[in-house]
Amino acid sequence: MAAPLGACPVQIGQYDRVVLGHGSGGRLTHELITQLFVPAFHNPTLAALEDQASIALDGVRRLAFTTDSFVVSPVFFPGGDIGKLAVCGTVNDLAAGGAVPRHLAASFILEEGLPLADLRRVVESMRAACDEAGVSVVAGDTKVVERGKADKLFITTTGIGWAPEGRRLSIAAARPGDRVVVSGPLGDHGMAILSVREGLSFQTELLSDCAPLGGLAEVMLRASPSLRCMRDPTRGGLASALNELAAASQVGVVVREPAVPVRPEVRGACELLGLDPLYVASEGRMVAVAPAAEVPALLDAMRGHPLGRGAAEIGEVVADFPGKVRVQSSVGGDRLLLMLSGEQLPRIC
Amino acid sequence: MAAPLGACPVQIGQYDRVVLGHGSGGRLTHELITQLFVPAFHNPTLAALEDQASIALDGVRRLAFTTDSFVVSPVFFPGGDIGKLAVCGTVNDLAAGGAVPRHLAASFILEEGLPLADLRRVVESMRAACDEAGVSVVAGDTKVVERGKADKLFITTTGIGWAPEGRRLSIAAARPGDRVVVSGPLGDHGMAILSVREGLSFQTELLSDCAPLGGLAEVMLRASPSLRCMRDPTRGGLASALNELAAASQVGVVVREPAVPVRPEVRGACELLGLDPLYVASEGRMVAVAPAAEVPALLDAMRGHPLGRGAAEIGEVVADFPGKVRVQSSVGGDRLLLMLSGEQLPRIC
């Protein structure tokens, strides 16, 4: 039995109402989770703030369990749609924890008036993503709300998978001297969504990188026996992933900005819109931390996988400035990479 | 790999767009599920149309897995709120499958502008329901959408639990001669919601029956070693639960209407609004089918549990008219109890 949360009304930071920033994946999301949800539901599994819960099962395996709601707008975007995203996002949270994704539950909230042709297209896309990821949808639910009470459709997917005993990946496991790697160029998903919303057009169309990362994660686990952790840098981008890691492991992280892979068209779109690519969401990339000695084999293995061809080492873990992330720019200066504050790109996933 | 679903656009029955009835829990929901979701995600677990998926785990236990989105309006209602409902609804789907509910994932879709005091009240209510049900929320997610793109908050809960090997409850397991029992008066939840929405007032306030049924289900499993199945009669009420059972087991079901417990105030409100209580949702009741010989012990055991005091035998399973449900009224006539068609009570859960 947890302690009562205290008397209402509540305030978190300066807010007494939900603002878009509470869904940003940045500082406000973190405050909402740590100040409201974690105290209410208090248990060590939830409080670990991993992207997936790990439940003891038997002597040999652990069960990994994760959930995500998807509210992306527009529903269809270059390189994917809400259905593909709903499968990949949940599969990737399991994969990042070192688990083999196996089963999904999918729950739909539909707005009255949604064309059934759109729903079918989304569902077919989910099925294709499931086939690619090697998972099956074994449970589901459908609710319908009146026109104007939702926005076309929202999908919540919950995944379960098996994690082998003996491997414990955790954002609390990074140690000074470890290296940070990413599996490919960052920010494609966020900028693909934004380019549609803002009506931007580029010589090369920006496509979401949305993809299921279970296979890549398996390759990484084999190549780096002491791999510390993996995270898919979705909402809040690389900046959020590394800040959460730095806080949980009580280490500092140094990122060498010129080493971070970003496509020229993504960089260009970011400049046009005044955004920092280090904060922009990817939906088919993995960030990982590994001991320095294992990084050459890890990068080799990643580059041999279709979804890891652009893998690169981008920084390192240090003992200085625990809990903080610093970026060394190409011109030699360096700056603190804070968690996203406020909302940069609402409804990116 | 499933076969393609065919070319878009689609039509299901007379509809090419989502209508409120697709969320009713009745015939249109059934058509949407069987004609769109099941073919797309085709696998035997989903196609069984149980309220929970059953996954082989090891030689001793099975994993039960279920998901539900909650969009009830109003968010706070007499006897509960969307948070309590989100915990009980999912716990009850696990319990109905004979599983012991253990872990929940909770995903929130919040509308910009929602008072944080409301969110805290909902979350505290979830926590209290979790404590009562013996489950913990171990994974979660929060998304925020712009004002006017959702209705205050939607919650999706996904539950996992353990089912002992050797007990297989299924809506396909009913046999002629079996009896149908319910755990208490039906329709309290639906009429509590509707009375608030319609501004009805009664001498006695109508309270939702929303409650976690894991403990009651355990008692029932012990008392009836050959218990065929349990279902919580939520959306679509007793009528939907029994029609799904009749179809899955290919049996007929006869319901003796005077034996069905319904509170006088619920019956009165139904008459006022032209509703049939057999279609109105409960959120803390169990319907079960058991061999006739086990029914006396089953009813005794149920009545000894605080949530089963009003337990009653209400009908029986027959070999005639397979797939259909007939109701014998108090005046001697009888009628076919069809699945709900269209939408009776939108956003009841």
Side-chain angles (χ1 to χ4, degrees), chain A residues 49-111:
Chain A
L49 297 181
E50 303 281 350
D51 274 349
Q52 73 298 124
S54 178
I55 298 162
L57 206 58
D58 49 36
V60 187
R61 297 176 304 179
R62 285 171 300 131
L63 182 71
F65 186 40
T66 189
T67 194
D68 264 305
S69 287
F70 295 87
V71 299
V72 64
S73 173
V75 164
F76 301 102
F77 51 81
D81 59 56
I82 192 171
K84 182 180 184 185
L85 192 61
V87 171
C88 295
T90 290
V91 160
N92 292 351
D93 280 346
L94 293 174
V100 179
R102 288 297 301 276
H103 302 286
L104 292 186
S107 195
F108 296 81
I109 297 172
L110 309 178
E111 185 188 11

Side-chain angles (χ1 to χ4, degrees), chain A residues 171-221:
Chain A
I171 55 166
R175 302 178 203 171
D178 289 348
R179 300 293 194 267
V180 181
V181 303
V182 299
S183 64
L186 297 180
D188 294 10
H189 175 74
M191 295 319 292
I193 300 286
L194 210 62
S195 66
V196 177
R197 276 203 231 147
E198 302 285 322
L200 302 179
S201 64
F202 303 92
Q203 271 190 305
T204 319
E205 190 187 28
L206 289 181
L207 293 181
S208 167
D209 55 311
C210 179
L213 295 174
L216 177 67
E218 276 187 58
V219 161
M220 294 169 70
L221 285 167

Side-chain angles (χ1 to χ4, degrees), chain A residues 5-39:
Chain A
L5 283 170
C8 295
V10 293
Q11 187 154 326
I12 296 180
Q14 62 178 293
Y15 300 104
D16 66 355
R17 289 180 178 267
V18 170
V19 297
L20 288 173
H22 286 123
S24 67
R27 186 172 56 78
L28 295 183
T29 305
H30 187 78
E31 287 175 4
L32 183 67
I33 292 171
T34 54
Q35 293 176 39
L36 202 155
F37 291 114
V38 170

Side-chain angles (χ1 to χ4, degrees), chain B residues 192-307:
Chain B
I193 299 286
L194 209 62
S195 66
V196 177
R197 276 202 231 148
E198 303 284 324
L200 302 178
S201 64
F202 303 92
Q203 270 191 306
T204 319
E205 191 187 27
L206 288 181
L207 293 181
S208 167
D209 54 312
C210 181
L213 296 174
L216 177 66
E218 276 187 57
V219 161
M220 294 169 71
L221 285 166
R222 270 201 304 273
S224 173
S226 304
L227 193 71
R228 312 293 192 207
C229 73
M230 295 186 273
R231 260 225 170 170
D232 55 330
T234 59
R235 279 186 299 178
L238 181 71
S240 278
L242 293 183
N243 269 284
E244 289 170 10
L245 172 92
S249 294
Q250 276 303 295
V251 294
V253 176
V254 177
V255 175
R256 292 188 310 279
E257 196 162 32
V260 178
V262 178
R263 290 186 202 284
E265 55 269 36
V266 168
R267 195 178 298 282
C270 280
E271 277 169 16
L272 205 64
L273 297 165
L275 299 173
D276 182 342
L278 300 184
Y279 289 93
V280 179
S282 304
E283 291 287 348
R285 303 295 175 218
M286 204 66 104
V287 180
V289 175
E294 296 182 2
V295 165
L298 176 60
L299 286 174
D300 264 4
M302 291 170 77
R303 289 170 185 152
H305 189 280
L307 293 171

Side-chain angles (χ1 to χ4, degrees), chain B residues 21 103 113 153 179 243 261 267 298 341:
Chain B
H103 302 287
L153 79 164
R179 299 294 195 266
N243 269 284
R267 195 178 298 282
L298 176 60
S341 71

Side-chain angles (χ1 to χ4, degrees), chain B residues 22 31 34 37 51 57 68 71 74 82 93 101 112 123 175 177 185 188 217 219 224 253 275 301 306 338:
Chain B
H22 286 124
E31 287 176 4
T34 54
F37 291 114
D51 273 350
L57 206 58
D68 265 304
V71 298
I82 191 171
D93 281 346
E112 180 189 14
V123 166
R175 301 178 205 171
D188 294 9
V219 161
S224 173
V253 176
L275 299 173
L338 298 171

Side-chain angles (χ1 to χ4, degrees), chain B:
Chain B
M1 180 78 77
L5 282 170
C8 295
V10 293
Q11 187 154 326
I12 296 180
Q14 62 179 292
Y15 299 105
D16 67 355
R17 288 180 179 268
V18 171
V19 297
L20 289 173
H22 286 124
S24 67
R27 186 172 55 79
L28 295 183
T29 305
H30 187 78
E31 287 176 4
L32 183 67
I33 292 170
T34 54
Q35 293 178 39
L36 202 155
F37 291 114
V38 170
F41 296 132
H42 84 139
N43 62 70
T45 310
L46 190 65
L49 299 181
E50 302 282 353
D51 273 350
Q52 73 299 123
S54 177
I55 297 162
L57 206 58
D58 50 36
V60 187
R61 295 176 305 178
R62 286 171 298 130
L63 182 70
F65 186 41
T66 189
T67 195
D68 265 304
S69 287
F70 295 86
V71 298
V72 65
S73 173
V75 163
F76 301 101
F77 51 81
D81 58 56
I82 191 171
K84 182 180 184 186
L85 192 60
V87 171
C88 295
T90 290
V91 160
N92 293 352
D93 281 346
L94 293 174
V100 179
R102 287 296 301 277
H103 302 287
L104 292 186
S107 195
F108 296 81
I109 297 173
L110 308 177
E111 184 188 11
E112 180 189 14
L114 177 75
L116 285 173
D118 286 356
L119 180 59
R120 173 174 264 191
R121 195 175 148 198
V122 165
V123 166
E124 291 205 345
S125 160
M126 291 181 78
R127 198 267 308 275
C130 283
D131 288 345
E132 192 183 343
V135 298
S136 51
V137 173
V138 296
D141 184 46
T142 308
K143 293 289 178 350
V144 180
V145 298
E146 305 89 336
R147 211 178 282 265
K149 300 296 186 186
D151 193 7
K152 297 182 184 68
L153 79 164
F154 303 143
I155 305 177
T156 301
T157 46
T158 306
I160 55 182
W162 313 132
E165 194 55 48
R167 291 302 288 264
R168 297 242 174 212
L169 304 189
S170 165
I171 54 165
R175 301 178 205 171
D178 288 349
R179 299 294 195 266
V180 181
V181 303
V182 300
S183 64
L186 298 181
D188 294 9
H189 175 73
M191 295 320 291
I193 299 286
L194 209 62
S195 66
V196 177
R197 276 202 231 148
E198 303 284 324
L200 302 178
S201 64
F202 303 92
Q203 270 191 306
T204 319
E205 191 187 27
L206 288 181
L207 293 181
S208 167
D209 54 312
C210 181
L213 296 174
L216 177 66
E218 276 187 57
V219 161
M220 294 169 71
L221 285 166
R222 270 201 304 273
S224 173
S226 304
L227 193 71
R228 312 293 192 207
C229 73
M230 295 186 273
R231 260 225 170 170
D232 55 330
T234 59
R235 279 186 299 178
L238 181 71
S240 278
L242 293 183
N243 269 284
E244 289 170 10
L245 172 92
S249 294
Q250 276 303 295
V251 294
V253 176
V254 177
V255 175
R256 292 188 310 279
E257 196 162 32
V260 178
V262 178
R263 290 186 202 284
E265 55 269 36
V266 168
R267 195 178 298 282
C270 280
E271 277 169 16
L272 205 64
L273 297 165
L275 299 173
D276 182 342
L278 300 184
Y279 289 93
V280 179
S282 304
E283 291 287 348
R285 303 295 175 218
M286 204 66 104
V287 180
V289 175
E294 296 182 2
V295 165
L298 176 60
L299 286 174
D300 264 4
M302 291 170 77
R303 289 170 185 152
H305 189 280
L307 293 171
R309 285 206 194 97
E313 183 185 325
I314 61 164
E316 85 181 275
V317 177
V318 297
D320 296 343
F321 51 91
K324 293 196 166 30
V325 182
R326 301 196 75 88
V327 178
Q328 296 177 335
S329 78
S330 47
V331 293
D334 87 341
R335 66 182 199 276
L336 217 51
L337 188 69
L338 298 171
M339 276 202 117
L340 183 62
S341 71
E343 177 54 277
Q344 189 182 44
L345 301 171
R347 298 181 59 190
I348 210 71
C349 59

